[in-house]
Amino acid sequence: MPVAERAHAARGALDALWAALRYCYPLLLVLLLWELVARAGLVRPLFLPTVTTVLEQFWVLLFEGEIVAPLLVSLYRAFAGLALAVVFGVFAGLWMARSKWAHWALDPLVSLGFPAPKIAFVPIFILWFGIDHLSKILLVAFTCVFPMIVATYHGAAAVSRTVIWSAEAMGTSERKLLSRIIFPAAQPYIFSGVRVTVPVALIIAFTAEMIAGGGGVGAALMFAQRFFQTPTVFVYILVMLATGLVLDLVILRLRHWLIPWDDEAV
Amino acid sequence: MAVSVAPRTWWSGGSYPNWLRAAGRYLPIAIVVAVWQLVVELDLVDRAFLPSFGETVRALWEMTRNGEIVVNLLVSLYRALGGLVIGSVVGVAIGLAMATSRRADQFLGPLVATTYSLPKTSLVPLFILWFGIGNVTNMLSVMLACLLPVIVSTYHGVKAVPPVIVWSARAMGTPHRLILWRILLPSASLSIFTGIRIALGFCFVLTISAEMIASRTGIGKLIFFYGESGAYAYMFGGLLAIVIVAYAADRALLAAMHYLLRWHDSIHAAHAGG
C-alpha cells in the first residue's frame, strides 16, 4: 500500500473514531458525573457505587460465569416465546386478513387482549406451568402474539387489491396467493412487528424472572438486591441494557439482509 | 382494526339495528366465556387450576362490595396515570427540545438511544434500594418507561412538520414561542398521541410489575397475594378487573384522541389500530 493511501486510511479511521467519540460524549459525561458523585462521598456506596467498582464487579461475575449462564437462560426464554408468537401471530394475522370469519372471531379478542397488561398473568402462568422455563416462554408468547397478529394483519390487508385480483384472474390458488404474494408483501410489516416485539419479549422474560424467580438475569438481579449487593445490581442492569442494544442492532442488520428490497426506516 | 380494510360480514349489512350489530361484533368474547364456563362445568379441567367464569365474577363482585378491589385499583391507577402524565409532559418537552435544537439533539439523542431498550422494570430493585417500597419507586419507574416512547414520537412528529409552514410563520413575524404552540405541537399531535398510547400500555405493565416485585398495596399485589395463598377465584377476579380497566383506558384515550384531533386530516385513516 502506498504511503499516501495508508495515511488516508489512517485518517479515515481517526475520523470515524472522532465521530464515535463525539456521539458518545453525553454518555461518557454521565458516567464521569456518576463516578465523581460516588467518589466525592455525596451518597453512600450502598446506594451508588463508583463506576469502577461496578466494572470490577462485572469482571468478577464474568469469570465466575454469573453473567453468561443467566443471560443464556433469559435469552432462551425470550426467543422461544418470541418464536411461538411469530408463528402463531403470522398465521392468525394472514388468516384474519383473508377470511371474514376469522376476522369476526379474532378481532374482538385481539382488541381486548392487546391493551391488557399481560404481566399480571404471571401468577396464573406459574399456577398452570410451574416456575421454570415453560411458564416464562408461554407468557412471552402470550404477550408478543398480539402485536405480531396486528402487524401481520395490517401488512396483509395493505396488499393492493388489484395485485390480488390479477393473481386470482390468472387462476392462482388461495395457497399460492398466500405464499407467493401476500406473505412476501407483508414481510416488511412482519419484520417491523418483530423489531417492536423483541424488546417486549426481553422485558417480559426479565420481569417474569424478577417476579417469580427461577433463574435468569431477572432472578439474579433480585437476588443481588435482596442482599444489598448494589454493584451487582448495577452490573445486571447494564447487562440488560447492553442486551437490548445489541439485539436491536442485530435485527436491523438482519432486516437489511433478509428484505433488501425494502428500505423502510421504521 | 382498520375499519376500511375489514371484510364485509353478514352483520355489517345495512338491515340490522345497531345493538344487534354490536352484539354480533362482541359475540366471540361471549363464546370464549361460554366455553370457559362449560369446560369447568363438565370437569374437563381441574377446578383447582381454573375456577369457572361464574366463580370468578362472584369473587370479583365480593371484592367490589367489601371495597378491596376499588381501593387497590385506585392506588394502582393513581400510580400508573400519575406516572403517565408526568412522563408524557416531560417527554413532549424533551422531544420538542430535541427536534428544534441541534445541541439538545446531539446531547440527548445518544442517551435516549441507549436507554430506550433497557427494560425499565430492571430499575425497580434499584429504586427500592433508593426510595424504599411505595409510590415514589412505582411512579418513578412508570414515569421513565412512559418518557421514552413519548420523546421518540414527539421528536418524529415535530421533525415531520413541513418546514415551509414554519418558514411562512416566521416570515409573518410569528415569535418562536407561538411557533411551538400554534404550529409544531398541533401538527405533531397525532404522533404524540400515538406515543402516549404506547406509554399507556407501559404504565399498567410497570405499575403491576413493580407491585408484584415489592409492594404493600395495589392491584398487582392483590393478584399476587391471592395467587400465593391459593384463592384462585379471587386471583382471576382481580385479573379480570385489571383487563377491563386497561381496555377501558385504551378506549378512553382513543375516544379522547378522536375528539381532540377531530380537525386532523388523517385521524380517521390513521387510527384504527389494535
Side-chain angles (χ1 to χ4, degrees):
Chain A
M1 203 192 272
V3 180
E5 228 174 276
R6 204 179 301 165
H8 189 74
R11 198 177 308 141
L14 216 63
D15 280 351
L17 192 72
W18 179 234
L21 208 67
R22 263 189 30 181
Y23 179 80
C24 288
Y25 93 90
L27 295 169
L28 297 175
L29 211 63
V30 168
L31 287 179
L32 192 71
L33 198 68
W34 169 6
E35 180 77 17
L36 283 180
V37 168
R39 289 249 156 169
L42 295 176
V43 286
R44 286 166 59 192
L46 178 67
F47 294 136
L48 191 70
T50 59
V51 182
T52 33
T53 324
V54 173
L55 287 179
E56 273 166 34
Q57 186 65 11
F58 175 78
W59 281 112
V60 171
L61 290 174
L62 191 66
F63 284 114
E64 284 172 0
E66 296 285 325
I67 287 181
V68 178
L71 188 59
L72 286 179
V73 170
S74 298
L75 286 178
Y76 163 65
R77 289 167 176 167
F79 278 93
L82 183 68
L84 281 176
V86 169
V87 171
F88 275 96
V90 166
F91 270 103
L94 288 179
W95 197 32
M96 270 175 82
R98 291 304 297 163
S99 145
K100 60 183 183 183
W101 287 106
H103 187 272
W104 170 74
L106 292 178
D107 184 44
L109 298 179
V110 171
S111 53
L112 184 68
F114 197 104
K118 265 74 72 178
I119 198 73
F121 286 75
V122 166
I124 291 188
F125 278 66
I126 295 174
L127 169 69
W128 287 346
F129 309 110
I131 63 158
D132 206 27
H133 294 313
L134 188 62
S135 62
K136 275 125 198 164
I137 291 174
L138 290 179
L139 188 71
V140 170
F142 180 51
T143 309
C144 297
V145 79
F146 293 104
M148 282 315 302
I149 293 178
V150 172
T152 311
Y153 173 79
H154 279 295
V159 179
S160 155
R161 291 281 148 118
T162 39
V163 174
I164 295 176
W165 286 334
S166 329
E168 278 172 346
M170 287 187 274
T172 315
S173 68
E174 177 71 21
R175 191 189 296 193
K176 272 269 168 70
L177 192 70
L178 276 178
S179 66
R180 301 291 290 275
I181 294 170
I182 297 176
F183 181 64
Q187 266 179 24
Y189 286 81
I190 296 175
F191 219 91
S192 297
V194 172
R195 193 181 167 203
V196 172
T197 350
V198 165
V200 176
L202 276 180
I203 291 172
I204 296 295
F206 287 146
T207 310
E209 287 164 358
M210 287 171 69
I211 295 171
V217 181
L221 172 62
M222 283 316 292
F223 193 77
Q225 189 254 339
R226 247 165 240 156
F227 290 94
F228 297 102
Q229 296 162 337
T230 319
T232 314
V233 169
F234 273 99
V235 168
Y236 284 124
I237 291 177
L238 292 178
V239 166
M240 289 181 179
L241 180 99
T243 313
L245 271 180
V246 169
L247 281 177
D248 197 49
L249 283 179
V250 168
I251 287 173
L252 270 185
R253 278 286 156 86
L254 214 62
R255 178 198 189 105
H256 207 69
W257 183 63
L258 282 177
I259 28 178
W261 67 85
D262 184 81
D263 245 354
E264 175 201 23
V266 176
Chain B
M1 295 279 122
V3 181
S4 53
V5 291
R8 279 172 60 86
T9 29
W10 47 268
W11 69 90
S12 63
S15 58
Y16 298 100
N18 277 334
W19 65 268
L20 199 64
R21 225 179 290 172
R25 188 168 135 68
Y26 289 105
L27 192 60
I29 293 179
I31 293 175
V32 168
V33 167
V35 168
W36 172 6
Q37 181 73 17
L38 261 180
V39 161
V40 179
E41 290 285 330
L42 297 175
D43 283 325
L44 294 176
V45 291
D46 192 344
R47 261 171 204 269
F49 285 95
L50 185 69
S52 72
F53 181 68
E55 283 166 353
T56 304
V57 171
R58 262 196 300 281
L60 180 56
W61 177 237
E62 197 193 313
M63 286 191 288
T64 315
R65 284 192 46 195
N66 67 21
E68 202 173 15
I69 207 105
V70 181
V71 170
N72 285 299
L73 260 181
L74 283 179
V75 169
S76 296
L77 277 177
Y78 168 67
R79 291 166 175 167
L81 299 182
L84 175 69
V85 169
I86 301 172
S88 302
V89 171
V90 178
V92 168
I94 294 180
L96 197 60
M98 281 172 64
T100 49
S101 143
R102 217 157 64 100
R103 201 173 294 168
D105 195 10
Q106 277 173 352
F107 185 74
L108 294 168
L111 293 177
V112 170
T114 31
T115 47
Y116 192 82
S117 54
L118 175 73
K120 305 303 174 295
T121 40
S122 69
L123 297 173
V124 173
L126 191 66
F127 290 164
I128 292 175
L129 215 57
W130 287 350
F131 308 110
I133 291 169
N135 284 345
V136 177
T137 290
N138 206 314
M139 281 173 96
L140 197 60
S141 42
V142 171
M143 193 272 257
L144 286 177
C146 296
L147 193 61
L148 289 164
V150 177
I151 292 179
V152 172
S153 60
T154 306
Y155 178 81
H156 287 302
V158 173
K159 278 278 177 191
V161 176
V164 182
I165 301 181
V166 180
W167 293 335
S168 334
R170 215 171 275 160
M172 287 186 274
T174 319
H176 184 67
R177 209 154 46 91
L178 275 186
I179 291 183
L180 289 188
W181 286 107
R182 292 266 176 82
I183 298 169
L184 295 183
L185 282 177
S187 316
S189 52
L190 187 64
S191 176
I192 293 175
F193 259 108
T194 312
I196 292 179
R197 196 172 172 212
I198 297 173
L200 180 72
F202 283 177
C203 83
F204 284 113
V205 172
L206 254 291
T207 304
I208 291 169
S209 318
E211 283 170 359
M212 284 185 164
I213 291 169
S215 177
R216 285 181 216 100
T217 48
I219 189 76
K221 177 68 193 169
L222 191 73
I223 295 171
F224 202 68
F225 168 75
Y226 279 125
E228 288 203 314
S229 53
Y232 295 126
Y234 291 88
M235 175 176 84
F236 275 82
L239 203 57
L240 189 63
I242 192 65
V243 169
I244 293 171
V245 167
Y247 179 74
D250 189 51
R251 289 289 123 170
L253 185 70
L254 265 189
M257 179 165 122
H258 275 266
Y259 179 73
L260 291 173
L261 303 186
R262 58 193 181 282
W263 49 271
H264 206 290
D265 295 332
S266 47
I267 181 82
H268 305 289
H271 245 283

